[in-house]
Amino acid sequence: MNENRPKAPAGHAPTVADVLALPVLAAGQPQVVTGPAGLDRPVRWVHITELTDPASFLKGGELVLTTGMPLPDDTAGVRRYVDELTDVGAAALVIELVRRYHRPPDALVQACHARGLPLITLARDVNFLEVTQVVHALILGSQADAMRRTQRIHEAFTALTLRGAGPEDVVRAAAEMSGRTVVLENLVHQALICEPSGTTVEEALGDWEQRSRATGPDDHTGAGGPEGWLTAPVSYQGERWGRLAMLQAPADGQPAFGPEHITVLERTAMALTVARLIHATPWEHTAHRTALRELAEQRHHSPEDARARCAALGLPTEGVAFLAILVDLGPGAEGGELEARLHGELRSAGIPALVGELAPGRLGILPALRPDRPWRPVAERLCRTALGLAPGAIVGVGSEVADLAGTARSFREAARVIEATPPGQPLPPDRSFHELPDIDLRRLLYALREDTRVQDYTERRLGRLIDHDTRHGTDLLTTLGHYLDAAGNKTTAARRGGLSRETMYQRLRTIERLLDSDLESGERRTELHVALTALRVLRAG
């Protein structure tokens, strides 16, 4: 008996093929005569019979074992025998060719073939009782394992719910437990969350809307559609708002969806319903944030994955240009209202875009622009909306890029503009945003104000002059500023400082001595002007 000890297939009842491979049956030299396509049928029980009407004792899914002794002699009787087994849902008929028959009767073969019932013959004597014991142990063991796995699934999702897990965590857990790609979409077939398993985002989400629409909506969990997805509705406050889709595994020999996959998907839907109650931010907004952060920080696995994810959210990725816009609201500011307003503004303007919070107090906008649509009017409209709700915000715009892969550069440029724009910096007269050409020396140094190298440079160039003013109550630093701002014109500098020319000359000689620098040198004046500009920025900060 030891050699026949079974190992239950993970998560599935044993199939006819699994049972035939067991040593206890393999010893009988089984031969599949008809119905090879039915060898993947699950075997839910084994039934030994010598009755002429065994079907009355069956419930479906049984492997029927017989010596052939009770088989009717007439063709009609054999056909009736097979019809009854098939109608009740027997998994297969196994007949021993030892006692009454040495080859299967033609009438039996024809009847089984006509009904698609797997007919297996055994050329050698087999202990049917031992077969029953082994297979039943296999079935019961598989059922016990399935129950334990189902319990673990319930416990895992209960733990996620109790700790207030967000939708990404819930969908990720579903993909990990099932070993299949899981996608959460809304009612307009936009893929909000995708957790791939055994595939890439590009493969999972390619042409998503078209493929999803081909898999018609359903009010209950089930498999269907051209690709055989397993889907489950997701509800919120009694209204259906989206759907979960578990994709078929790549052609790697994995079995079709089983009861555990259904359990995982249904528990995922329940956990998402609870998560939606806890997390108030609309999940479309969350999906936009995730996609934007992946683009801005280049956290996607490949450009193809990024295009597939954005396209599945409704953002065109071909034949369009992109523009990164950043709205900096300041530390601790809440951007939820502005984010929602911008979503509405873009919808009303018919501009496809991603909008989301990239960091606390900083919103990102990525519109997709048609070639015939200049970017400046679009940026102006969005920036006016942002400043209307957040007057103190700083808006920076990057360069227009022709491909989604270039958006990270555009976001870096917009971030550089934000970093180089002090609060209260006046806007150019013709627009509501700042861009790279606006960054002059003063704003560049403002962006670098916390760099110790800039601070050290400023101190080395001007420290002795500042110390002299402090000790003697003089104002030589101001005089130097007038001189440098006048590009070395002493007359203009004297007039701006309210000084006589002789006093100006005397002060400049003192400055040259203290700084050990020739003010007639253009290079030295440039060095000092940069240091003085940096000092002004640091003091203003």
Side-chain angles (χ1 to χ4, degrees):
M1 273 298 277
N2 239 4
E3 61 178 359
N4 292 333
R5 182 167 296 168
K7 293 182 181 178
H12 293 273
T15 64
V16 175
D18 294 331
V19 172
L20 295 180
L22 292 171
V24 67
L25 262 178
Q29 298 176 359
Q31 179 74 35
V32 179
V33 180
T34 66
L39 296 182
D40 61 352
R41 294 178 180 177
V43 176
R44 308 197 184 283
W45 208 245
V46 177
H47 185 73
I48 305 171
T49 183
E50 299 298 341
L51 300 174
T52 56
D53 59 341
S56 59
F57 295 91
L58 306 180
K59 293 184 178 180
E62 290 88 356
L63 184 75
V64 179
L65 304 179
T66 181
T67 61
M69 299 299 290
L71 282 178
D73 294 322
D74 60 304
T75 300
V78 170
R79 189 180 298 117
R80 184 173 58 254
Y81 183 89
V82 171
D83 285 344
E84 290 177 357
L85 289 179
T86 306
D87 292 342
V88 81
L93 175 62
V94 179
I95 181 171
E96 189 182 73
L97 301 179
V98 176
R99 293 168 177 79
R100 180 177 178 183
Y101 298 105
H102 296 287
R103 57 184 296 272
D106 292 340
L108 181 63
V109 173
Q110 292 169 6
C112 289
H113 179 75
R115 294 302 305 269
L117 179 68
L119 173 63
I120 296 102
T121 61
L122 299 176
R124 299 181 61 182
D125 189 22
V126 168
N127 186 328
F128 282 174
L129 181 59
E130 188 177 351
V131 171
T132 301
Q133 292 173 336
V134 171
V135 176
H136 286 177
L138 178 62
I139 293 169
L140 294 174
S142 176
Q143 291 174 347
D145 285 347
M147 290 178 64
R148 284 191 290 270
R149 282 189 291 272
T150 299
Q151 181 64 25
R152 286 197 291 270
I153 291 169
H154 286 292
E155 290 172 353
F157 279 105
T158 299
L160 285 170
T161 300
L162 290 176
R163 78 162 191 254
E168 296 90 349
D169 295 330
V170 173
V171 176
R172 187 179 303 116
E176 291 172 353
M177 289 184 206
S178 65
R180 306 294 174 90
T181 296
V182 180
V183 180
L184 173 66
E185 66 172 10
N186 60 16
L187 291 178
V188 293
H189 302 276
Q190 293 177 344
L192 306 183
I193 302 174
C194 173
E195 282 297 333
S197 180
T199 185
T200 65
V201 172
E202 180 192 14
E203 292 168 338
L205 296 183
D207 297 320
W208 176 260
E209 182 177 349
Q210 179 181 354
R211 293 162 58 208
S212 177
R213 289 185 182 278
T215 304
D218 207 336
D219 292 332
H220 62 274
T221 305
E227 299 180 44
W229 293 351
L230 183 66
T231 61
V234 181
S235 300
Y236 176 61
Q237 294 183 342
E239 295 289 335
R240 177 175 173 175
W241 71 266
R243 178 171 69 168
L244 280 165
M246 185 179 288
L247 278 54
Q248 289 281 9
D252 58 359
Q254 287 198 45
F257 296 121
E260 286 184 33
H261 294 103
I262 295 173
T263 300
V264 167
L265 209 60
E266 289 180 340
R267 281 308 309 261
T268 303
M270 292 171 60
L272 287 173
T273 298
V274 176
R276 180 122 190 181
L277 292 169
I278 297 172
H279 301 276
T281 302
W283 288 356
E284 287 81 1
H285 295 188
T286 303
H288 279 221
R289 293 177 185 179
T290 301
L292 276 175
R293 288 170 184 173
E294 288 186 352
L295 288 171
E297 300 168 16
Q298 292 183 298
R299 290 194 282 114
H300 43 74
H301 289 90
S302 69
E304 292 76 20
D305 279 5
R307 280 194 292 271
R309 191 180 291 278
C310 290
L313 284 171
L315 186 76
T317 58
E318 302 292 338
V320 292
F322 301 94
L323 182 74
I325 302 173
L326 290 180
V327 182
D328 196 81
L329 303 172
E334 292 291 336
E337 183 182 355
L338 177 57
E339 186 176 353
R341 177 71 178 272
L342 287 170
H343 274 284
E345 182 77 13
L346 288 160
R347 278 195 299 270
S348 64
I351 304 171
L354 298 178
V355 181
E357 193 176 51
L358 293 176
R362 178 170 292 185
L363 291 181
I365 313 170
L366 184 70
L369 306 170
R370 299 191 305 268
D372 61 343
R373 191 160 199 170
W375 69 265
R376 286 187 178 275
V378 174
E380 184 65 26
R381 177 173 183 172
L382 295 174
C383 295
R384 280 201 307 270
T385 299
L387 292 175
L389 282 173
I394 300 172
V395 183
V397 177
S399 301
E400 185 181 36
V401 294
D403 186 78
L404 202 63
T407 55
R409 174 171 58 84
S410 188
F411 272 115
R412 283 196 299 271
E413 293 175 353
R416 201 179 307 159
V417 172
I418 295 287
E419 292 163 2
T421 304
Q425 176 75 29
L427 284 163
D430 57 339
R431 49 190 158 88
S432 302
F433 57 86
H434 302 273
E435 55 183 328
L436 274 177
D438 298 332
I439 300 178
D440 54 15
L441 175 62
R442 183 181 182 88
R443 290 176 64 173
L444 175 63
L445 291 170
Y446 174 79
L448 300 173
R449 64 192 182 280
E450 295 182 2
D451 192 317
T452 55
R453 291 170 296 182
V454 173
Q455 298 172 9
D456 178 68
Y457 177 83
T458 302
E459 183 63 24
R460 283 190 289 107
R461 286 286 180 270
L462 300 175
R464 282 177 290 177
L465 189 61
I466 297 171
D467 290 343
H468 182 276
D469 280 347
T470 301
R471 288 195 304 270
H472 299 91
T474 55
D475 198 15
L476 295 179
L477 186 67
T478 302
T479 300
L480 177 62
H482 290 317
Y483 175 71
L484 295 175
D485 290 342
N489 188 310
K490 297 174 184 175
T491 302
T492 301
R495 185 173 65 251
R496 289 179 178 176
L499 303 173
S500 67
R501 292 186 63 182
E502 183 60 33
T503 302
M504 172 61 67
Y505 292 158
Q506 181 182 355
R507 289 191 177 188
L508 290 177
R509 284 194 295 270
T510 303
I511 291 170
E512 285 182 321
R513 177 176 56 81
L514 289 171
L515 299 183
D516 190 21
S517 185
D518 180 9
L519 294 181
E520 296 297 323
S521 167
E523 182 177 353
R524 294 293 175 265
R525 286 206 303 269
T526 300
E527 291 173 352
L528 290 171
H529 204 179
V530 170
L532 185 59
T533 304
L535 180 64
R536 289 167 175 169
V537 166
L538 291 167
R539 286 182 169 179

